[in-house]
Amino acid sequence: MNLPPIMGDLVVLVPVVTLVVFAALTLLFGVFTRERAALGGLALTGVIAALVFTVFLWLQARAGGVAVTALGGAFRGDALSYAFSFIILIGAGLAVVLADGHRVRLQLDQPEFHPLLLLAAAGGLVLVSAGDLVTLLLGLEIMSLAVYVLAAWRERSRVSEEAGMKYFLLGAFASAVLVYGIALTFGATGRFDFAGIAAAAAAPDFAARGLLLLGALFVLVGLAFKVAFAPFHQWLPDVYTGAPTPVTAFMSVVVKTAAFGALLRTTGTLVDALGVGPIGEVLPAVLAVSIGLTMVVGNFGALLQSGVKRMLAYSAVAHAGYVGLAVLAGGDAGVQAASYYLFTYTFASVAAFAVLLSLMDDDDRGDRLERLAGLGRRRPWLAAALAVIMLSLAGFPPFAGFIGKAVVFQAAIAAGHAALAVLGISTAVVAVVFYARVVMTMYLREPDAHTPVARPIPRRTAVVMAIGLAATVVFGLFPGLWLDWIARAPWWSAGF
Amino acid sequence: MNVPTEAYVALSGVLFAIGAMGVLVRRSAIMVFLSVELMLNAANLAIVAYARHWAGFDALAGLTGQTVVFIVLAVAAAEVAVGLAILIAIFRDRSSTDVDALAEVRL
């Protein structure tokens, strides 16, 4: 029996361990001192420490040019995992600051709140660094279990409880489908690790291609639930609307980025493993149909909403469709396009929710579009910030959202999915309507007696908005800052 | 008596289908949750069966499969803990766990 080296390079685990340690510290600190004001700062310190370690490891990996693995290949440090860990940690940091600014007002100041955010982020890191399907499942569960609780956080709030319950039941169902897919993939190849699956499927006498396809479809469905590909997106608008708004912001960046990281790695491996021929064409075809549906359903769904939070939720489905184009394109170009899209979406999304939070009531309700009437005159800076974010999300140049869509469509066309890219471009036109509606309400519509005055913004929230806004403009004007940086990395497909 | 792997996998497929049906048709959140557990255990059965199958070719694959079953069991147990906590929070508020009553957000 030939055992693989068990430990490997344990240093790649440092960012995850940092997050877990800080989660424990934050929890203990909160429980023993009853000092709530410092918890956000402690949690943020943990995220920043993990970010610093990730950047350090990333630079080291770039210099070395090879992927590092730990725990017998279960945990990988390669370009995909570092790039996506980086995005996850940025999103988590912004969401922690955002939640901290509205902690008291929204009754989020229990000592368990910040530790759960950190644990969810740690699960996200495990998810994007997974070298086998079992680690992937563990990462998914570590992340999801924390987020189920966060979604249901607000006591005596029926919508929040409902969001938690819906997310939990559908999430548990999705993981069961994923586990069954893992079982079938194991049955077909005798392996759980991506490298082993690829090697087993590449063997000339590999006979279980049909079984592997079935397993791959189940795995795909399980992950499609998490990234909210249609027709598995129905939970998302309700959960995003019902969850406390800082948690919604967290989900829209951390959970989404992590799930896409896992999806990119999994579909990349499985599509390659299934190879060419009639069986190999099924998985991309299913994915293509689902992505086309996602773009249509997300954009038209957002068009019909009167609440801004729910509109952003549907638009999150639409954005998942656009990132899906990059997943379908696959290869290094697809991964790079997806990483740019998710990186810039992280800033725009958190900033959008930050603006929204300062317009909502203390019970975390009240997101109707009419509330924005006259904001352009009453709060010119806030309105300008929201306008830039909306235009970026709609895909207007020169903002980052435009470049994001451009690279994604480019990757899809280069991979031979021109028809789907055309569908994406036409649905993006629909998106302009509902994003522009927000901007027009702010600047053209007169406020009436019922329009509430926007509250003063906590300084921490203003910082989140400023960072989000600055990144949206800077990475829109200079997309090379991210694209050139990651293009020079040794990519994951070379790592096996 | 040597039961072929296909028989175990067929049984696991049936269990998985029953679980999936349960998720779709049952009204009580507890029953939906129980159906999800059935699906997870169906997957476990398939993994053990395949582990036995692969153990004949590669002893390590057999051991890995059996270990994974324990990991999946642990995951399922953690899910139960969180799920029941959310369920209790909902039940306190509404005295019901009917999933069809979870329709407030749509308003």
Side-chain angles (χ1 to χ4, degrees), chain B residues 7-24:
Chain B
Y8 289 109
V9 176
L11 176 63
S12 95
V14 171
L15 286 175
F16 186 82
I18 294 173
M21 280 302 291
V23 171
L24 297 178

Side-chain angles (χ1 to χ4, degrees), chain A residues 278-294:
Chain A
I279 288 183
E281 278 164 17
V282 176
L283 197 60
V286 170
L287 203 55
V289 170
S290 168
I291 288 163
L293 205 59
T294 309

Side-chain angles (χ1 to χ4, degrees), chain A residues 2-62:
Chain A
N2 187 16
L3 282 169
I6 296 298
M7 287 307 180
D9 212 339
L10 285 177
V11 72
V12 294
L13 292 168
V14 168
V16 177
V17 173
T18 308
L19 285 178
V20 174
V21 166
F22 269 89
L25 280 179
T26 313
L27 185 61
L28 288 174
F29 192 75
V31 169
F32 285 116
T33 65
R34 310 219 159 267
E35 172 65 62
R36 303 287 162 78
L39 294 182
L42 196 56
L44 184 65
T45 312
V47 174
I48 291 174
L51 192 63
V52 168
F53 287 131
T54 303
V55 170
F56 178 73
L57 289 168
W58 197 4
L59 290 172
Q60 211 178 29
R62 283 165 67 94

Side-chain angles (χ1 to χ4, degrees), chain A residues 1-4 134 137-138 141 145-146 148-149 152 156-159 161-166 168-173 175-177 179-180 182-184 186-192 211 218 234 237-239 241-242 310 314 365 368, chain B residues 9 12-14 16 19-20 23-24 29 32-33 36 39-40 42-44 46-47 50-51 53-54 58-65 68 71-72 75 78-80 82-84 86-87 89-90 92-94 99 101-106:
Chain A
M1 199 157 74
N2 187 16
L3 282 169
V134 181
L137 173 72
L138 281 178
E141 290 294 323
L145 288 178
Y148 299 147
V149 180
R156 307 263 167 261
S157 159
R158 291 173 69 102
V159 288
E161 286 168 356
E162 187 177 318
M165 193 72 216
K166 270 186 186 160
F168 171 73
L169 284 179
L170 287 169
F173 179 70
S175 345
V177 174
V179 176
Y180 204 73
I182 294 172
L184 294 181
F186 173 61
T189 59
R191 300 294 288 266
F192 289 103
L211 188 61
F218 273 83
Q234 278 107 339
D238 290 357
V239 173
T241 315
R310 203 165 163 81
Y314 268 102
R365 305 290 298 258
R368 301 197 74 77
Chain B
V9 176
S12 95
V14 171
F16 186 82
V23 171
L24 297 178
V32 172
F33 192 27
V36 170
M39 292 166 71
L40 279 171
N44 270 340
I47 296 176
Y50 284 129
H53 169 78
W54 285 105
D58 176 5
L60 187 60
L63 283 178
T64 313
V68 167
I71 294 177
V72 174
V75 162
E79 245 175 23
V80 171
V82 169
L84 289 183
I86 297 175
L87 211 77
I90 287 224
R92 272 201 196 136
D93 229 26
R94 320 187 179 200
V99 285
L102 298 174
E104 212 138 303
V105 190
R106 281 182 197 279

